[in-house]
Amino acid sequence: MLRTFHVLMGAALILSCVLLVRSDRLLSAARSRELQYPLHAAESLHKCLLLEAKPGPPEDFTSRTESDRFVPATKATLITNAAIWTGRGNGLEIMKGDILLDRGLIRRVGHIDKGVLEQYKELYRIDARGRWVTPGIVDMHSHLGVDSVPILRGSNDGNSRKGPILPWLRALDGLNTHDDAYKLSASGGVTTALVIPGSANAIGGQGVVIKLRPPTDRSPTGMLLENPYETNLTEYDRTKTFRYRQMKHACGENPDRVYSGTRMDTAWAFREGYEKARRIKQAQDDYCAKATKGHWAGLGAFPEDLQWEALVDVLRGRVKVHTHCYETVDLDDLVRISNEFKFPIAAFHHAHETYLVPDTLKSAYGKPPAVALFATHARYKRESYRGSEFAPRILAEEGIQVVMKSDHPVLDSRFLLYEAQQAYYYGLPHNLALSAVTATPANVLGLDHRIGFIKEGYDADVVLWVSHPLALGATPQQVWIDGIPQLSYPHTIEKPASFQRLPQTPNFDKEAKAALKYEGLPPLEPKASVSHTLVFTNASSVYLRDSASALRVQEVAASNGVQGVLSVVVKGGRLLCIDSQQSACVRSALENTGKIEYIDLEGGSVAPGLTTFGSPLGLEEITGEISTKDGYVLDPLTAQVPKAAGGDGALIHAVDGLQFGTRNALVAYRAGVTAGVVAPLGGGILSGVSTAFALAAPHKLDDSAIIQATGGVHIAVHPVGVPSVSTQIAALRRLLLDPPEGETGHWFEKVQDGDVPLVIEVESADIMATLISLKSEVERELGTRLRFTFTGASEAHLLAAEIAEADIGVILTRARPFPHNWESRRILPGPPLSEKSAVRVLLEHGVTVGLGVPDADKAVNTRFDAAWAALEANSTISKEQAIALVSTNVEKLLGIEREDSEADLVVTLGGDFLDYTKVAGVISPRRGVVDLL
C-alpha cells in the first residue's frame, strides 16, 4: 500500500514537471510569434500600398512612342492642308497645316519637316484641301453594346433589377461586340464612348470606356480604353499608375418606378450603401495605419469585400461618378450625399434643371460636376418638363463644364455632333460646343491625357469633316481610330465654300433670360398678333405653296444675294405685294392702309409653314404621364371594344382627343411648324382617323384650331408575336374587301372608293411587299384605285421601284434612319456609308415623300430635318422640294386638303429658311393676323 502511494506521488511529480516545461515552451513560442510577421503580411502591405495610389497616367506617359492600342502593320498616315481644331486653348486654337499619324499616335501637328517624312518608306497621304480636322467625338453617355441595336430580348443587358444598390456589376460583362450601331456611330465621327448601365437602379454598376473600332481579338475586352480590370502586371502596374473607373448612379423617377419606392427610399438606399463603403474604407485605413508600423497583433486579414470595393474606391476618389438626375430635388439630394460621404461627382447626366440651380452644383464635394445634356430632347417625362434648349449656354455662363451626349440608343450617337450644333445654334459659344463632344468629356472621364485633343503624343483618333463641324449636316470624310481609317469606301458630297466657315447663329438672349425668369416654363405664345400693315424689308427669298406645280412649292421671288431688294407687304394676315421697296406694287399696297410697321429681316425669307406628323403631338403633353395624354385605343384583334364605344365596328377619331397649348406644340410653332396631323394612339392594327390642327390655336373651339377634322384611316402592321403579321394582313384584307357595319365599315368604304388614304405604319420591306400585293389584289377585285401611304418605312428604299409602280406615298418618320428594331434593320444610312439616302432613292423613283418625327419634342427640328435631307442629296433636292418634304407632301399623303392662299407662311430673320435662322413671325390668313414671335 505504501509502495503504491510512493509510485503515484512520483508519477504526479514527473507529470507536473512535464507540464511546466511544456507551458514554458508555449509561452516562449507565443512571445516569438508576436515578434514575427504573419504569412499574409506582404500581401496585406501591398494592398495598403495600393490604397495610396492616385489615379492618372504614369509619369512617363507623354514620352510614349507607341500606343498600347497600336495594331501592327497599320500604315502611317499624313493628312495635309487641313484646318485643325485642336481643342486646346479652351477650344479656341486653330492651326493650318498637317497631321502625322503613326503607331497609333499623333506624332506631328502643324508644319512637319521634310526630314521627318523622309524616314517613312510607306506613308498614306490624304489632302484635306482646307477642310476641318477635329479630335474624335467622345460620347460620355452611351448604352452601345448593352442596349444592343437592333433591340432583341437576347441582348438586353442594360439594367439589372436585383436591387437598388449594385456597384459590383460591370457593363463589360454584358458588352455585345456584334451591335449594329458601332459602325454607324463611328461613321458619324464617334471614336470613344462611355458605356454605362441603365438607370433602373440608384447605383447600377460600373461603366467602361471603349473605342469604336472592331477589336483585333474580337472580344469586348479588346475594345476597352485603359482597361481598369487588367491583371497583367506588365501592362498595368497599379503601384505606378491607377486607372479611373466609371460608375453609374441614378435618382428620380426611374429607380422609384422600378422598385416601387419614393425619392426618400432612393436617397436612403444611397446613404445606406455609402455608409457600408465608408465603414470598409475606415477599417482599411485603420488596418493599414497599424500594419505599416508593424503592429500586427490581432489584425487578422486585410478588411475587404469584393461586392463593395468599387464603392470604396469612389470614396477614395478613384472612380468617376456619373449621376442620372433631372430635377432640383434630386440634384440637391446627391450634392448633400456627396458632401456627407466626401466623394466628388464627375457629372450629372440628363440634368434638365441644372441650369436653374448652378449654385447647388457648385456646392458639391470637391468641385462642381460637369453637366451632360441633350440639346432639345425634353418633356418626355415629368422630371424633364422644365428642360430648356438654352441650358448649355446658361450653364457655360456659370462656369459649369458642359457635355453633349446621346444616351444611345435614345438618340442615335452617330449624330452626336448634331447635339453640339443645336447647342451652338441656341447660344453655346462655338469653342465650347465643339469641346462639349471632345475635350470636355475627355477631361471629365479622366482621359484628357490621351483623347479629346489633337496634340502630339495623343491617341490617333481624328476626324476629317466635309464641312465645318458646326455646320448643319456635317459629315466625316474619314474617321481614324488608333490611326486606323474606319470608312473603307466613304461617300462624300461636295459642299459650297461657305460651309467651311463657322455658321452664323441668331440672338436668343431674351429667350434665355426668360427661361431663367420663369424657371424653365416661359410663356411661349406670340408676343403680339397684329392685323395692321406690316412691311418685311430686306427679304432674300419668298416661297409659296402652289398646288398646280409639280413640286407644290415655288420660289416666287429672290434677291439673288443682294440684301434689301425685296419687301413683303402683309395686311390682315394676307400677302399684298412682293417686290422692291420702290416698286409700284409696294407703293400701291401702302396707300391708305393706316398703321404701318416695318420689320428688317436682315436677309431673311418667307416660306410655307411646316406640317408635322408621326408623333403624338396634339394628343399628349408629357409622354410618360398617362394623365396628360389622350390615351390608347383598343385593338379589336386583341381586346373587346366596349359596345358603348361602338363595339368592334368602332373607329376612333383623333379630333375628339386633341389638346391645345402643349409646350411641344408651341416650341415647334416658334420654329416654323404651324400645323400638325395626328392619328389616335394605338398599340395594335387599327388606330383610327387622323385630324389636322393648328399648333398655335388656344383651344379646339377657336375658329382656326381645326384645319381638317378628318384625314386618313390609320393602321399599323408590325411583327408583335400575337397576332401574327399574317393574321393582321388577313384582317386588313377583310376590312378592304368586306367592310363591317358601323363606323369602321363606313370609313373603309371611303378607302375602297379612294376618297381617303389608308395610312399604314410599317417598317419592314417584307411586310411592305405583302401590302403592295394586297393593294393590287383588292384593286382588281373592286375595280378601283386605292390610296396607300406607308409611314415609318425604314426599309422602303429596298422597294422604291415597286412602291412607285403601286402609286404609294411614303412618310419617313425618321428623317435620318436608325435600325432600332429588327423590322427596321436594313436601313440605307446615307453618306458617308452609302452614296444615297433613302429620301433621295425614293424621290429618284418618283415616289411622293414626306418627312415626319417619331417624338413630339423633335417637331421643333423639322426645318433642319428638311435642310439635312437636301444637303446630303448632292444637289438633287431643291429648296422647294425640301420645303415640300415637310409641308405639302405630308398633307397630300395624309389626305389633308386646303387652299394654298389659306395656309400659314413663316418669316425668318437673318438668312434662308433652311439655314440657322430664327423665326420672326407667322403670317396667318385664316386668322387674319401676323404672329410676331
Side-chain angles (χ1 to χ4, degrees):
M1 188 75 177
L2 182 62
R3 183 180 179 183
T4 302
F5 174 77
H6 283 296
V7 170
L8 291 172
M9 287 295 294
L13 181 61
I14 292 170
L15 180 61
S16 297
C17 291
V18 170
L19 291 173
L20 181 62
V21 170
R22 185 176 179 185
S23 176
D24 286 340
R25 286 177 178 174
L26 289 172
L27 181 60
S28 176
R31 287 173 178 169
S32 176
R33 283 196 301 271
E34 185 174 341
L35 298 176
Q36 294 177 351
Y37 289 104
L39 294 177
H40 62 76
E43 179 184 1
S44 296
L45 287 172
H46 181 70
K47 291 179 178 178
C48 290
L49 177 64
L50 291 180
L51 297 184
E52 303 300 320
K54 301 300 181 185
E59 293 181 358
D60 61 349
F61 186 82
T62 56
S63 63
R64 62 181 181 154
T65 59
E66 179 179 294
S67 171
D68 53 325
R69 293 183 51 82
F70 172 62
V71 176
T74 301
K75 290 183 179 180
T77 297
L78 179 66
I79 306 170
T80 62
N81 191 28
I84 307 166
W85 185 86
T86 68
R88 297 189 296 183
N90 198 31
L92 293 172
E93 183 182 68
I94 296 173
M95 302 174 64
K96 301 289 186 179
D98 308 335
I99 305 173
L100 176 63
L101 311 178
D102 184 30
R103 307 194 77 76
L105 300 177
I106 299 172
R107 301 305 298 268
R108 296 285 190 279
V109 181
H111 174 74
I112 303 175
D113 291 337
K114 184 178 179 181
V116 172
L117 301 178
E118 288 176 344
Q119 299 175 18
Y120 291 89
K121 295 181 179 179
E122 286 189 283
L123 187 62
Y124 174 72
R125 297 172 183 263
I126 181 169
D127 185 357
R129 295 186 296 154
R131 291 176 172 177
W132 289 86
V133 175
T134 71
I137 302 298
V138 180
D139 189 354
M140 205 176 78
H141 187 129
S142 177
H143 303 292
L144 265 168
V146 293
D147 283 343
S148 293
V149 171
I151 293 175
L152 295 168
R153 286 191 300 176
S155 58
N156 182 7
D157 290 299
N159 283 299
S160 170
R161 287 172 170 77
K162 301 300 182 182
I165 305 295
L166 303 170
W168 47 86
L169 299 185
R170 306 183 303 182
L172 175 63
D173 298 325
L175 192 67
N176 173 19
T177 58
H178 302 296
D179 191 327
D180 286 355
Y182 290 127
K183 181 178 180 180
L184 291 170
S185 296
S187 77
V190 180
T191 58
T192 304
L194 170 61
V195 178
I196 46 181
S199 52
N201 311 292
I203 301 180
Q206 301 166 47
V208 286
V209 180
I210 65 170
K211 292 284 191 82
L212 267 62
R213 68 168 173 82
T216 54
D217 65 357
R218 298 189 176 92
S219 74
T221 302
M223 301 184 74
L224 299 191
L225 176 60
E226 296 200 352
N227 178 7
Y229 310 118
E230 179 60 65
T231 57
N232 186 338
L233 293 179
T234 61
E235 295 187 16
Y236 178 29
D237 184 352
R238 289 172 174 80
T239 63
K240 296 180 180 179
T241 181
F242 204 91
R243 295 171 176 173
Y244 276 112
R245 283 184 285 176
Q246 318 287 330
M247 185 176 289
K248 176 69 177 293
H249 287 19
C251 51
E253 294 183 28
N254 286 19
D256 291 355
R257 181 181 66 253
V258 171
Y259 293 101
S260 301
T262 66
R263 283 176 165 79
M264 295 182 290
D265 295 306
T266 301
W268 170 247
F270 274 121
R271 296 181 67 221
E272 185 178 41
Y274 270 107
E275 176 60 16
K276 173 74 172 178
R278 187 197 64 78
R279 291 181 180 180
I280 295 173
K281 176 181 179 293
Q282 187 62 55
Q284 291 175 347
D285 292 345
D286 293 345
Y287 181 98
C288 291
K290 294 179 179 180
T292 54
K293 294 178 181 178
H295 299 162
W296 292 98
L299 275 186
F302 180 82
E304 58 187 342
D305 189 323
L306 184 61
Q307 282 191 306
W308 296 96
E309 60 83 22
L311 205 60
V312 173
D313 258 5
V314 169
L315 299 180
R316 297 193 183 281
R318 305 197 296 195
V319 178
K320 298 279 189 174
V321 173
H322 299 268
T323 305
H324 160 124
C325 269
Y326 287 79
E327 290 189 271
T328 299
V329 59
D330 301 315
L331 300 167
D332 190 59
D333 286 347
L334 262 294
V335 165
R336 281 188 284 103
I337 291 170
S338 81
N339 283 300
E340 179 181 0
F341 293 96
K342 296 180 173 55
F343 67 90
I345 299 170
F348 282 119
H349 291 238
H350 305 317
H352 283 61
E353 292 188 14
T354 47
Y355 72 101
L356 297 174
V357 288
D359 289 339
T360 297
L361 305 186
K362 294 174 184 179
S363 68
Y365 181 80
K367 69 173 187 176
V371 178
L373 297 163
F374 296 123
T376 56
H377 187 38
R379 295 172 292 280
Y380 47 89
K381 54 182 175 177
R382 192 194 69 86
E383 59 189 6
S384 68
Y385 190 61
R386 293 175 186 266
S388 172
E389 58 270 37
F390 306 110
R393 65 170 285 176
I394 293 170
L395 287 164
E397 289 166 358
E398 288 287 344
I400 304 294
Q401 287 183 300
V402 173
V403 173
M404 306 309 295
K405 48 88 172 123
S406 73
D407 195 14
H408 181 99
V410 173
L411 299 183
D412 181 359
S413 62
R414 177 186 174 191
F415 302 110
L416 176 55
L417 185 62
Y418 182 40
E419 295 300 293
Q421 292 167 359
Q422 292 174 80
Y424 168 63
Y425 171 74
Y426 287 111
L428 183 66
H430 65 91
N431 57 311
L432 299 183
L434 275 179
S435 295
V437 291
T438 53
T440 305
N443 173 263
V444 175
L445 293 170
L447 291 167
D448 54 344
H449 56 281
R450 66 182 299 169
I451 63 171
F453 298 85
I454 292 184
K455 186 177 179 181
E456 292 179 6
Y458 274 57
D459 286 15
D461 299 346
V462 299
V463 185
L464 171 60
W465 300 93
V466 172
S467 60
H468 191 289
L470 290 179
L472 185 67
T475 303
Q477 178 178 330
Q478 187 54 270
V479 179
W480 288 267
I481 302 179
D482 300 322
I484 303 172
Q486 299 302 299
L487 303 175
S488 300
Y489 303 100
H491 299 275
T492 59
I493 294 171
E494 291 292 329
K495 295 184 178 179
S498 61
F499 276 73
Q500 297 301 330
R501 298 192 292 269
L502 179 70
Q504 298 299 306
T505 57
N507 186 310
F508 287 104
D509 289 350
K510 291 181 180 179
E511 290 84 349
K513 290 179 181 178
L516 285 174
K517 178 181 178 180
Y518 293 96
E519 297 194 13
L521 300 177
L524 297 174
E525 294 77 10
K527 66 180 182 182
S529 297
V530 301
S531 58
H532 60 252
T533 301
L534 286 172
V535 182
F536 294 105
T537 63
N538 289 337
S540 63
S541 59
V542 177
Y543 298 87
L544 298 178
R545 288 175 176 248
D546 183 359
S547 299
S549 70
L551 298 178
R552 290 176 287 278
V553 173
Q554 289 279 22
E555 183 181 42
V556 298
S559 65
N560 296 318
V562 182
Q563 193 180 75
V565 171
L566 291 179
S567 289
V568 180
V569 183
V570 180
K571 182 178 182 181
R574 296 189 179 275
L575 289 177
L576 297 183
C577 180
I578 305 167
D579 210 331
S580 66
Q581 184 66 35
Q582 296 76 27
S583 68
C585 172
V586 172
R587 291 198 304 270
S588 174
L590 297 181
E591 290 178 357
N592 303 318
T593 60
K595 180 180 179 181
I596 303 175
E597 182 178 357
Y598 290 86
I599 297 177
D600 185 356
L601 295 187
E602 302 172 13
S605 67
V606 177
L610 307 183
T611 300
T612 184
F613 169 76
S615 78
L617 185 68
L619 293 179
E620 70 172 26
E621 174 76 332
I622 304 173
T623 305
E625 294 288 343
I626 193 63
S627 64
T628 73
K629 301 161 69 82
D630 174 51
Y632 298 89
V633 302
L634 294 171
D635 178 21
L637 284 183
T638 59
Q640 184 71 37
V641 180
K643 290 184 179 180
D648 290 342
L651 194 66
I652 307 304
H653 290 231
V655 70
D656 295 330
L658 281 177
Q659 301 178 18
F660 290 87
T662 67
R663 297 196 71 78
N664 280 325
L666 293 174
V667 167
Y669 185 75
R670 299 177 74 87
V673 184
T674 62
V677 181
V678 66
L681 305 181
I685 183 173
L686 194 58
S687 295
V689 180
S690 60
T691 188
F693 64 100
L695 266 60
H699 53 76
K700 185 177 178 179
L701 298 181
D702 184 85
D703 290 340
S704 66
I706 308 302
I707 296 171
Q708 187 171 309
T710 57
V713 176
H714 290 247
I715 67 169
V717 183
H718 296 292
V720 294
V722 178
S724 66
V725 170
S726 50
T727 301
Q728 296 173 60
I729 296 296
L732 179 57
R733 178 180 288 110
R734 182 168 183 178
L735 287 170
L736 289 170
L737 291 174
D738 185 20
E741 295 182 357
E743 188 77 358
T744 299
H746 169 72
W747 279 92
F748 269 89
E749 287 173 358
K750 288 177 174 288
V751 172
Q752 285 182 328
D753 295 336
D755 293 337
V756 299
L758 183 65
V759 184
I760 309 170
E761 182 183 287
V762 57
E763 302 287 355
S764 165
D766 298 312
I767 300 176
M768 289 183 215
T770 298
L771 290 166
I772 292 171
S773 297
L774 177 62
K775 181 176 184 287
S776 178
E777 173 191 338
V778 173
E779 287 175 340
R780 286 195 306 270
E781 185 77 18
L782 298 178
T784 60
R785 292 289 290 176
L786 305 180
R787 296 162 60 188
F788 273 22
T789 296
F790 291 156
T791 71
S794 295
E795 297 185 352
H797 60 279
L798 297 173
L799 296 170
E802 292 80 4
I803 290 172
E805 184 178 356
D807 194 23
I808 296 173
V810 171
I811 297 178
L812 298 169
T813 306
R814 291 182 181 271
R816 292 173 295 283
F818 182 61
H820 201 268
N821 300 303
W822 187 260
E823 60 181 322
S824 59
R825 72 191 185 282
R826 296 174 293 184
I827 64 169
L828 188 64
L833 291 178
S834 64
E835 178 187 1
K836 299 178 181 181
S837 65
V839 176
R840 181 177 171 185
V841 168
L842 290 166
L843 287 175
E844 287 178 348
H845 281 83
V847 178
T848 300
V849 179
L851 298 179
V853 295
D855 306 303
D857 63 355
K858 293 180 176 58
V860 65
N861 290 324
T862 298
R863 186 161 53 105
F864 293 154
D865 289 342
W868 198 315
L871 286 169
E872 67 177 10
N874 202 16
S875 301
T876 63
I877 297 178
S878 66
K879 289 183 179 179
E880 292 94 334
Q881 283 179 298
I883 295 170
L885 287 173
V886 288
S887 58
T888 54
N889 284 9
V890 172
E891 294 176 11
K892 175 186 176 182
L893 294 172
L894 297 175
I896 307 303
E897 300 175 357
R898 52 176 168 163
E899 295 294 329
D900 294 336
S901 60
E902 296 300 308
D904 295 333
L905 295 170
V906 174
V907 181
T908 57
L909 183 70
D912 189 83
F913 182 68
L914 297 179
D915 290 341
Y916 281 160
T917 50
K918 185 178 185 180
V919 173
V922 176
I923 302 169
S924 177
R926 296 178 72 227
R927 293 162 51 221
V929 299
V930 175
D931 286 335
L932 298 178
L933 304 176

